[in-house]
Amino acid sequence: MSKDTQLKAARRGIVTPAMAVVAQKEHRSEDFILQGVADGRIVIPCNINHRNLQPMGIGRDLYTKINANIGNSSLTGTAAGELKKLQSVLTYGADTVMDLSTGGDIPLIRRSILAQSTIPVGTVPIYELVARYTRQGLTGENLLTIIREQAEQGVDYMTIHAGLLQKHLPAALKRKLGIVSRGGALIAAHMVENDCENPFYTAFDRILDICAQYDVTLSLGDGLRPGCLADASDEAQFSELDVLGELAQRCRQAGVQVMIEGPGHIPLDEIAMNMQREQAVCNDAPFYILGPVVIDCAPGYDHLVGAMGGMMGAFHGAAMLCYVTPKEHIGLPDDEDVRRGIMAFRIAAHAADVALKKPGARWRDDAISDARESFDWEKQFELAIDPARARQYRTEALQASNQPNLHGGEYCTMCGPDFCSVRLSKILKNSCKK
Amino acid sequence: MSKDTQLKAARRGIVTPAMAVVAQKEHRSEDFILQGVADGRIVIPCNINHRNLQPMGIGRDLYTKINANIGNSSLTGTAAGELKKLQSVLTYGADTVMDLSTGGDIPLIRRSILAQSTIPVGTVPIYELVARYTRQGLTGENLLTIIREQAEQGVDYMTIHAGLLQKHLPAALKRKLGIVSRGGALIAAHMVENDCENPFYTAFDRILDICAQYDVTLSLGDGLRPGCLADASDEAQFSELDVLGELAQRCRQAGVQVMIEGPGHIPLDEIAMNMQREQAVCNDAPFYILGPVVIDCAPGYDHLVGAMGGMMGAFHGAAMLCYVTPKEHIGLPDDEDVRRGIMAFRIAAHAADVALKKPGARWRDDAISDARESFDWEKQFELAIDPARARQYRTEALQASNQPNLHGGEYCTMCGPDFCSVRLSKILKNSCKK
């Protein structure tokens, strides 16, 4: 008999070691986590073969998590390069990482990543499938082979685009930007070329068997996510979501943990509605959203545009945000792009958590404000979301002002000592105490 | 007799040339602008002596505007340096610019800026006042001298912190971070040291006379804006806001255009309430907000944190956003910081305008999406909020992939041709049409 999945264990009332770890990290009781997992509101992606994983929970009652994508493209990127990106991802503080490699020795890259990653690792199996067998090899047997191999290696969660069906294609292809999900477009092309149904949909029960065996969490991909504001919240998007809702039910019946992936490009005023709709249609399965970017016209700044949407998504109930980098819509990100993407989304997640008053969420803000008041620059850097960057900027500003001896002083180069409000205010506070 | 202010003209039913320009820029009727100015919901900062100004309106029914601050500090910065920053501000697309210089030959710097600026120029007169006379010279006569000189030079709007009164100090100095507004802290120190009332408050009627003469728009500063989440929406902040509401009434009675400045550091869940409160207390005077930053712990990224709050502020009714740069809380920004600050806030403003469905707000997003679908890279760059940056990133990505010949190709280095969803989707669209 295979091990219980977290979901099956929770239903039997067993607090697993992973649940205990999650409870501690989240400042919640073990019973709270147990109940959340049992109900499917919380998932803990932890493949039984991912040995050095530090378990982490995803659900809207927990801290908002962020995912960073790495992986080469078919044009560029090596295993060594991907491991370097993984180190960045861990250093900069993402909660999960997805390996989206589509070229080179994909199993080797993934094995190296799994060996070194202490955070959950996700994949999109169709990428390896198409890279290995070409699009013509997109059959049920081949995809089960890939999924089984990846599960056996220790992949914690997999995105499969099982909700995009033949019947959705007319609405999808009428759109301004059609199908912008890579997985979705590959499957659509396969369905059109072979006049067949989505093989991930037809093989779904057999996929569930594999996932149950290794406790792979399924992340039901949104192959029809809108790729521009004009396509947001349309028939194609919501028809697929309805299918995802049904598939989520089947996951739970099979004891497989499940989350739902979300849009995409959504204007600010439609974000709350999108979050509520997912919760209703998918029975509170954690919503894992990509951005959403709230405007289309800022290439070069989409990390910021996506983080803005992500913040509002999290505020209205998304559980995890997939980062977007400044190179989105332009090219493959480099290390600095990865850093900026992660930081933008950590900020978005934290802003939502603070606003939602999640337990303990604001301690860091209060502590850094105390450090500001006392001009403890080192403490401010330590508490900063990106300590190295904050320190670097202060050093740069001091150098630009030819006042490097200011370091440690009770003011900064923004105002200088005579105009420093914090310094003045502190003097006033003290004088009024006398 | 001096010329009418825009407000006085509007009340007499006269559509000024400035109003006509604003109507055209905003895709609104002249009558709509006239009525907004007459009611005080719209201001058009345009000093009669600012010769080369291209008039621009501020109000929540118009496109959300953004302001960029330049100006040296008492430690660093020259007139030439500030003019270079002004060029950046104009290039990167801010709607107004504030010269916050506190050192060197301030009148000369300002004169140069006014001569070259086609957008409204704002100042905070207390900075020049303290720089010229020291804090001991903070008298009614001196401040009227400074305000008159600046008005005569052509300053379009001035921030004065007239709402912070002696009675507010106990609540303000109890806070975690006290008074973080520079102007507010200077005035508070003056009031404590001399046991007197705020001279901007006591001289308010005489200030109004000068503003009416030159049509200087007053921007009533929030000397007690919260400097951290722990101080947000507190007694000190809202007591001052009540005074600003009274002063706004006095401005309107004197025919002086007025806007209100707002916080500061505000958590996401309190932004809507803050916007509504200002509208109610200040009778719909345009709200000009600084950020707000929605978390305290991201030094180095406060442009992004402030833009997130600014977007939500604009969505809930703010009319103009004051940018924050990555160096906020750390040091004086350089040119790259100014660029990143402006872009972050232009994005925030645009995201709110799109969500609020302001007339014509989304054309750029729809057009860039069309350019994406047709792989027209040059058109995408042209339509981008920061064309040079978008072009630069694509070039970098192409070089990193050793595929510079991709330029103009129907894919990017993110996915390469075999995995490009937009390319696949386009092929599918065409095949389905046949």
Side-chain angles (χ1 to χ4, degrees), chain A residues 61-74:
Chain A
D61 298 321
L62 309 182
Y63 295 134
T64 305
K65 303 304 185 297
I66 72 148
N67 171 70
N69 292 331
I70 60 174
N72 63 10
S73 82
S74 57

Side-chain angles (χ1 to χ4, degrees), chain A residues 175 269 301 357 386 429, chain B residues 175 269 301 357 386 429:
Chain A
R175 291 165 147 185
D269 57 310
Y301 296 86
K357 301 182 173 56
D386 188 347
K429 276 191 186 184
Chain B
R175 290 164 148 186
D269 56 310
Y301 296 85
K357 301 181 171 57
D386 187 347
K429 276 190 189 185

Side-chain angles (χ1 to χ4, degrees), chain B residues 38-108:
Chain B
D39 295 345
R41 280 181 294 108
I42 294 173
V43 297
I44 303 178
C46 53
N47 186 310
I48 57 170
N49 286 345
H50 187 184
R51 303 292 172 190
N52 58 337
L53 177 72
Q54 292 167 3
M56 188 273 304
I58 301 169
R60 74 171 198 262
D61 299 320
L62 309 182
Y63 295 136
T64 304
K65 303 305 185 297
I66 71 148
N67 170 69
N69 293 329
I70 60 173
N72 64 11
S73 81
S74 57
L75 294 177
T76 176
T78 63
E82 296 314 312
L83 282 179
K84 189 159 169 286
K85 279 188 207 161
L86 173 68
Q87 286 312 319
S88 298
V89 164
L90 296 174
T91 303
Y92 301 139
D95 300 292
T96 80
V97 62
M98 292 192 80
D99 171 22
L100 305 186
S101 291
T102 55
D105 189 344
I106 298 177
L108 171 72

Side-chain angles (χ1 to χ4, degrees), chain A residues 94-232:
Chain A
D95 300 293
T96 79
V97 63
M98 292 192 81
D99 171 22
L100 304 187
S101 291
T102 54
D105 189 344
I106 298 176
L108 171 72
I109 292 175
R110 192 172 49 239
R111 190 178 313 121
S112 318
I113 288 172
L114 279 163
Q116 295 196 16
S117 179
T118 51
I119 60 178
V121 174
T123 60
V124 185
I126 194 174
Y127 297 164
E128 183 179 357
L129 181 60
V130 170
R132 201 194 290 184
Y133 299 107
T134 79
R135 208 163 72 230
Q136 281 62 48
L138 199 52
T139 65
E141 286 316 309
N142 288 341
L143 72 87
L144 289 166
T145 301
I146 299 281
I147 289 174
R148 194 174 295 112
E149 284 179 15
Q150 295 197 2
E152 215 280 326
Q153 269 191 330
V155 169
D156 300 293
Y157 69 96
M158 296 182 195
T159 295
I160 65 167
H161 302 88
L164 159 60
L165 304 182
Q166 275 190 297
K167 66 179 179 186
H168 300 140
L169 292 178
L173 296 175
K174 266 191 327 207
R175 291 165 147 185
K176 189 184 275 286
L177 260 170
I179 303 175
V180 298
S181 151
R182 280 200 287 195
L186 291 166
I187 290 167
H190 175 79
M191 291 193 289
V192 169
E193 287 160 7
N194 301 282
D195 190 20
C196 66
E197 194 46 280
N198 180 342
F200 287 89
Y201 183 78
T202 50
F204 198 68
D205 283 331
R206 289 185 292 166
I207 294 172
L208 288 179
D209 289 341
I210 300 170
C211 293
Q213 190 182 348
Y214 296 94
D215 203 359
V216 173
T217 299
L218 275 185
S219 187
L220 298 179
D222 53 337
L224 295 181
R225 67 169 173 268
C228 60
L229 297 183
D231 295 341

Side-chain angles (χ1 to χ4, degrees), chain B residues 127-267:
Chain B
Y127 298 163
E128 182 179 359
L129 181 61
V130 170
R132 199 193 294 184
Y133 299 108
T134 79
R135 207 164 71 233
Q136 281 63 49
L138 197 52
T139 65
E141 286 316 310
N142 288 340
L143 73 86
L144 289 165
T145 301
I146 299 280
I147 288 173
R148 194 174 296 108
E149 284 179 15
Q150 295 197 3
E152 215 280 327
Q153 271 191 329
V155 170
D156 300 292
Y157 68 97
M158 296 183 195
T159 295
I160 65 167
H161 301 88
L164 158 62
L165 303 182
Q166 275 190 296
K167 67 179 179 185
H168 300 140
L169 292 178
L173 295 175
K174 267 192 325 206
R175 290 164 148 186
K176 188 185 278 284
L177 262 171
I179 303 173
V180 298
S181 151
R182 281 201 287 196
L186 292 166
I187 289 167
H190 175 80
M191 290 195 289
V192 168
E193 286 160 7
N194 301 282
D195 190 21
C196 67
E197 194 46 278
N198 180 343
F200 286 89
Y201 183 79
T202 50
F204 197 69
D205 283 331
R206 289 186 292 166
I207 294 172
L208 288 179
D209 290 342
I210 300 169
C211 292
Q213 190 181 348
Y214 296 94
D215 202 359
V216 173
T217 298
L218 275 185
S219 187
L220 298 179
D222 53 336
L224 297 181
R225 67 170 173 268
C228 60
L229 297 183
D231 295 341
S233 309
D234 70 351
E235 185 198 337
Q237 181 192 332
F238 288 137
S239 304
E240 182 189 40
L241 183 64
D242 288 340
V243 179
L244 298 185
E246 294 162 23
L247 295 174
Q249 289 284 69
R250 287 167 64 185
C251 289
R252 286 164 170 181
Q253 281 157 11
V256 170
Q257 303 190 88
V258 62
M259 46 189 182
I260 308 292
E261 294 184 18
H265 290 234
I266 296 284

Side-chain angles (χ1 to χ4, degrees), chain A residues 175-176 179-180 228 269 296-297 301 331-332 340 357 365 369-370 372 385-386 393 413 421 425 429, chain B residues 175-176 179-180 228 269 296-297 301 331-332 340 357 365 369-370 372 385-386 393 413 421 425 429:
Chain A
R175 291 165 147 185
K176 189 184 275 286
I179 303 175
V180 298
C228 60
D269 57 310
D296 299 335
C297 62
Y301 296 86
L332 198 69
R340 288 169 64 194
K357 301 182 173 56
D365 302 277
S369 299
D370 287 334
R372 274 197 182 117
I385 273 192
D386 188 347
Y393 280 1
T413 58
S421 60
S425 189
K429 276 191 186 184
Chain B
R175 290 164 148 186
K176 188 185 278 284
I179 303 173
V180 298
C228 60
D269 56 310
D296 299 336
C297 62
Y301 296 85
L332 198 68
R340 289 169 62 193
K357 301 181 171 57
D365 301 277
S369 299
D370 287 334
R372 271 196 186 119
I385 274 193
D386 187 347
Y393 280 1
T413 60
S421 60
S425 189
K429 276 190 189 185

Side-chain angles (χ1 to χ4, degrees), chain A residues 286-301:
Chain A
F287 204 17
Y288 168 26
I289 59 177
L290 174 58
V293 303
V294 292
I295 58 173
D296 299 335
C297 62
Y301 296 86

